[in-house]
Amino acid sequence: MVSPLVALTPTVSAAIAAALGEEYRDADPVLRPSQFADVQVNAALALAKKVGRPPRDVATAIVEHLDVDGLADSVEVSGPGFVNVRYSDAWLSGLLADVVADDRVGVPTQERQTIPIDYSAPNVAKEMHVGHLRTTVVGDSLARTLEHLGHRVVRQNHVGDWGTPFGMLIEHLLEVGEHSREAELLGTDPNAFYQAARVKFDAAEKADPAGSAGDFDTRARGRVVRLQAGDPDTLRHWHELLDLSKQYFNRVYRTLGVTLTDDDLAGESMYNDVLADICDELEAKGIATMSDGALCVFLDGYTGREGKPVPLIIRKSDGGYGYATTDLATIRHRVQKLGADRVLYVVGATQALHFRMVWDTARKAGWLTDDVEVTHVQIGNVLGADRKILKTRSGKPLRLVALLDDAVTTARSVIDGTRPDLDDDTRATIARQIGIGAVKYADLSVAHDSEYVFDLDRMVSLTGNTGPYLQYVVARIRSIFRQVGLDPQAQRTAVTLGEPTERALALKLLGFGDVVAEVGATYEPHRLAGYLFELAQSFSAFYESCPVLKAETDELKQSRLTLSALVLRVMVTGLDLLGVEAPEQM
């Protein structure tokens, strides 16, 4: 099953080879959508200089050898050298019939690869804030999409669950009691628990040993040593901290509707036992050397101010390990243990230099081989109305739970106004679907490495390029089928393309598989979001100009019902790949 563009490509390539010579067969045919035709072939403009002929002459030669019998109704040269192609209606109807009959609505199943995806990565005993939104939402959409394309996706939630703060947290847990109300904060308000421990630690550092804070700081540091040494009692308390934080993580993930589970946790702690080996191997291979008491890797091409080399510190002068050591362990594990063909890191854009240095070091060590593709899916910031990083009025990072609660509340006010006829529970369900979907779609509809302004009122709007608009189109189609008592999944009759809006809608539907495959190759979910918005617009235009239930004949009615049902199937599939729910009614 292929789309029109995919089907036409080898035909155009063959015409280019016949017109200009075999050495040009692999030239890009440059197929582009056009307002003047179904597709425009722009290869002549790029090839004209190479063959030393005017672009229009080249275009004419290509058309003379272009065999589109059965594919196109018309082919013409226009302008300086464009080739405009209009597809045959009968051919489009045949392609559409294949998609209608396909349970995957045209999405290909690719050769299976193993793809670990590192995303979300909150810290134990700390609240998730708005900065975690994009890595969680983008990462989850990529995981869903790559799985749908047939790959084995290994979700890697690289939580911060190890290091110096845990001595402080464990001592605070012991003081307040493992089953106390304060301990329950780890599952409901982890920042409050963390801040209480931090206040106690800071006070102890500054206070007289005989003061109220006592020797809390000393005990906390000692607890870190015991944790790193594997003391059983300390590890038990560490697991308690982790288990309580899991409750909080899972509550956020359930609210967001992401697919991460406890089985996907792959935190810093799981690499603790191999960090010394990482350092020893790099030193033995001559890749890492001592510098000012620290073990460092100096790579060619990485220099800072005044041309001084920038080190990748893998063991600090005090003997501790940092992010670089752990990240070297992760890439080695994902390649050697998980058998990765591709590895994605859905992490903030500010980490770009760090990851490049880590991966170049791993390549020198032989842990990251040339046949493994590793990609930093860079995540941009979420901005407030002032176009600065979104924070609370006090300047602290905005709590993710608070942001999501606000989204649902805002959506509820819209639903209460537009659908007072629905019962309270139904409106509450729809408000959650719209509010969370609005936030996720707003995030996914812009390039993942760009910034965007968080504007809830715009996000929950039923018009414009918003999640609720797409959800509304889905609900409208479901309403059509409820009126006639038919199952849209079973509506699979032949489609007749007579009206321009029918034809435009068919062309848009036939591109779905290509778009999903493109997202799987480029890791850019905004391409799918943009496609779904255009599809929704195409359906709205079709619905306005082509009566469905009041079509002139029963055959035309069935054709338009099938076209509507296919839009529903594609929209629901596409929204699911973005992680956005599709309400039954709105």
Side-chain angles (χ1 to χ4, degrees):
M1 184 179 304
V2 295
S3 69
L5 277 180
V6 172
L8 187 62
T9 296
T11 300
V12 175
S13 294
I16 291 173
L20 305 178
E22 275 299 320
E23 63 268 32
Y24 295 103
R25 181 178 291 275
D26 294 331
D28 185 356
V30 197
L31 305 184
R32 298 288 186 268
S34 169
Q35 60 179 323
F36 305 110
D38 291 331
V39 66
Q40 198 169 71
V41 181
N42 298 341
L45 281 76
L47 293 171
K49 287 185 177 180
K50 294 182 179 180
V51 299
R53 295 165 60 184
R56 193 173 174 90
D57 287 356
V58 174
T60 300
I62 292 173
V63 169
E64 289 173 354
H65 293 86
L66 191 60
D67 181 9
V68 290
D69 185 34
L71 300 182
D73 286 339
S74 67
V75 179
E76 63 177 10
V77 177
S78 69
F82 302 118
V83 178
N84 291 332
V85 179
R86 177 183 166 83
Y87 298 127
S88 158
D89 286 352
W91 182 58
L92 290 180
S93 293
L95 292 178
L96 204 62
D98 291 339
V99 177
V100 168
D102 180 21
D103 289 337
R104 293 178 57 81
V105 288
V107 177
T109 299
Q110 299 177 343
E111 184 177 350
R112 188 178 178 85
Q113 291 185 320
T114 295
I115 309 175
I117 305 182
D118 185 328
Y119 69 105
S120 192
N123 290 312
V124 168
K126 282 190 179 181
E127 185 132 19
M128 292 176 70
H129 55 79
V130 67
H132 291 103
L133 173 66
R134 302 200 73 187
T135 175
T136 303
V137 168
V138 172
D140 204 60
S141 178
L142 292 176
R144 290 167 178 263
T145 301
L146 288 165
E147 276 184 335
H148 191 62
L149 287 167
H151 301 295
R152 173 184 171 241
V153 171
V154 185
R155 291 163 175 79
Q156 297 277 276
N157 192 354
H158 191 68
V159 297
D161 63 353
W162 200 250
T164 303
F166 284 90
M168 175 184 77
L169 292 166
I170 291 171
E171 285 301 316
H172 182 54
L173 178 65
L174 292 174
E175 286 197 357
V176 301
E178 300 169 46
H179 306 291
S180 65
R181 185 168 297 177
E182 289 87 344
E184 293 176 359
L185 289 172
L186 284 162
T188 58
D189 188 3
N191 272 10
F193 185 90
Y194 182 88
Q195 290 301 326
R198 170 57 68 182
V199 167
K200 202 179 288 185
F201 184 87
D202 291 344
E205 279 195 315
K206 297 175 183 177
D208 184 283
S212 60
D215 61 347
F216 183 85
D217 57 334
T218 303
R219 287 186 283 115
R221 291 190 181 93
R223 184 66 65 175
V224 173
V225 175
R226 278 181 277 175
L227 176 64
Q228 294 175 341
D231 173 63
D233 190 56
T234 301
L235 283 174
R236 181 175 66 83
H237 295 311
W238 173 78
H239 277 294
E240 289 172 5
L241 285 171
L242 184 58
D243 289 342
L244 287 166
S245 286
K246 284 179 188 177
Q247 297 174 22
Y248 167 74
F249 296 156
N250 290 332
R251 182 161 61 91
V252 175
Y253 294 148
R254 282 194 301 272
T255 301
L256 267 176
V258 300
T259 56
L260 287 169
T261 68
D262 289 350
D263 292 338
D264 305 315
L265 291 173
E268 296 171 356
S269 61
M270 72 175 282
Y271 304 103
N272 184 61
D273 293 342
V274 303
L275 300 185
D277 292 339
I278 291 284
C279 294
D280 290 344
E281 185 172 342
L282 290 175
E283 195 169 13
K285 290 180 175 179
I287 298 170
T289 56
M290 296 300 297
S291 177
D292 294 328
L295 186 63
C296 305
V297 175
F298 293 94
L299 298 162
D300 293 338
Y302 292 94
T303 56
R305 294 179 179 177
E306 300 177 358
K308 293 183 179 180
V310 175
L312 184 71
I313 302 174
I314 61 171
R315 188 177 64 225
K316 294 179 283 189
S317 57
D318 62 3
Y321 306 107
Y323 293 125
T325 330
T326 305
D327 285 334
L328 284 166
T330 66
I331 192 62
R332 187 176 74 167
H333 172 77
R334 290 164 185 173
V335 173
Q336 296 182 355
K337 301 296 184 183
L338 298 181
D341 297 293
R342 291 188 258 170
V343 187
L344 307 186
Y345 288 75
V346 187
V347 182
T350 56
Q351 298 298 310
L353 175 62
H354 166 77
F355 280 128
R356 288 200 304 271
M357 295 183 73
V358 166
W359 299 335
D360 283 352
T361 300
R363 289 187 182 96
K364 289 190 71 173
W367 303 331
L368 178 57
T369 51
D370 291 341
D371 59 334
V372 178
E373 174 193 300
V374 58
T375 303
H376 178 194
V377 181
Q378 299 186 25
I379 300 299
N381 293 319
V382 182
L383 307 179
D386 58 359
R387 301 201 64 83
K388 295 181 180 179
I389 295 176
L390 192 62
K391 294 182 179 180
T392 64
R393 290 183 179 179
S394 64
K396 295 179 179 178
L398 183 65
R399 296 168 56 238
L400 182 53
V401 170
L403 180 147
L404 298 177
D405 287 345
D406 285 348
V408 174
T409 300
T410 303
R412 179 60 188 264
S413 67
V414 173
I415 290 300
D416 286 346
T418 57
R419 293 301 306 269
D421 56 305
L422 299 175
D423 63 77
D424 191 72
D425 287 345
T426 301
R427 277 183 282 153
T429 298
I430 296 174
R432 178 189 59 77
Q433 292 173 319
I434 291 177
I436 300 303
V439 170
K440 296 178 77 171
Y441 182 80
D443 200 305
L444 292 164
S445 63
V446 298
H448 58 71
D449 57 350
S450 66
E451 299 177 327
Y452 74 94
V453 174
F454 192 88
D455 181 349
L456 267 182
D457 290 334
R458 180 186 62 81
M459 289 177 180
V460 301
S461 173
L462 295 176
T463 59
N465 187 9
T466 67
Y469 170 62
L470 271 60
Q471 292 171 318
Y472 176 72
V473 168
V474 169
R476 173 190 277 183
I477 298 174
R478 284 176 167 152
S479 175
I480 294 171
F481 282 89
R482 280 197 297 270
Q483 290 180 54
V484 291
L486 294 176
D487 177 6
Q489 294 295 322
Q491 184 68 34
R492 304 195 180 191
T493 59
V495 174
T496 302
L497 302 177
E499 298 296 323
T501 55
E502 286 177 316
R503 202 172 182 282
L505 182 57
L507 280 169
K508 185 57 66 176
L509 285 165
L510 289 170
F512 180 55
D514 288 350
V515 171
V516 176
E518 184 179 24
V519 173
T522 64
Y523 316 126
E524 296 178 332
H526 74 274
R527 296 180 183 273
L528 175 57
Y531 166 84
L532 293 176
F533 175 58
E534 292 173 2
L535 177 61
Q537 287 182 308
S538 293
F539 175 79
S540 295
F542 155 78
Y543 188 73
E544 291 299 320
S545 64
C546 297
V548 177
L549 299 183
K550 295 183 179 181
E552 293 88 339
T553 66
D554 185 63
E555 182 181 3
L556 190 56
K557 174 183 174 180
Q558 292 301 318
S559 170
R560 289 174 178 173
L561 279 171
T562 298
L563 205 53
S564 300
L566 184 56
V567 172
L568 175 63
R569 292 166 59 199
V570 169
M571 290 290 292
V572 170
T573 301
L575 286 171
D576 184 65
L577 295 180
L578 294 178
V580 175
E581 291 188 55
E584 289 292 328
Q585 58 181 328
M586 284 177 64

